[in-house]
Amino acid sequence: MKKRTAKFVAMAALFATVALSNTSCTDAERAKIGGLGDEFKIEMINCDGTVAKTWISSGKVLSEANSDGYYFEDKETGKLIEVTGRLIITKQ
């Protein structure tokens, strides 16, 4: 019986930790985590504010640590695209 109670207490503590960590996220953080598998529109912006190129990703747009660029798979061609510069990234 003690073993069962200890398991219950451990599970309750784990559940409480997960629940508290999820509620402390901002809306933006939850949206970023939830973006996996969604399509995104990536627009490369010229210096004059016009759109130079637009892509639709087949999934999440990612960025590596210590990098100013982004990479994603282009939905139309299936190719890996790596970009840097002035970008607007919008979840579709």
Side-chain angles (χ1 to χ4, degrees), residues 58-79:
S58 62
K60 191 164 185 169
V61 178
L62 300 170
S63 178
E64 295 177 346
N66 303 318
S67 171
D68 64 347
Y70 295 87
Y71 64 97
F72 56 92
E73 183 178 322
D74 182 32
K75 182 178 176 181
E76 185 178 322
T77 65
K79 292 183 179 181

Side-chain angles (χ1 to χ4, degrees), residues 2 9 11 17 22 24 35 53-54 58 64 66-67 78 80 82 89:
K2 286 183 182 182
V9 170
M11 292 294 288
T17 302
N22 284 342
S24 65
K53 178 77 176 163
T54 300
S58 62
E64 295 177 346
N66 303 318
S67 171
L80 173 68
E82 297 184 61
I89 302 171

Side-chain angles (χ1 to χ4, degrees), residues 20-33:
L20 286 175
S21 67
N22 284 342
T23 59
S24 65
C25 289
T26 66
D27 291 343
E29 289 169 326
R30 282 192 297 270
K32 189 172 185 179
I33 292 167

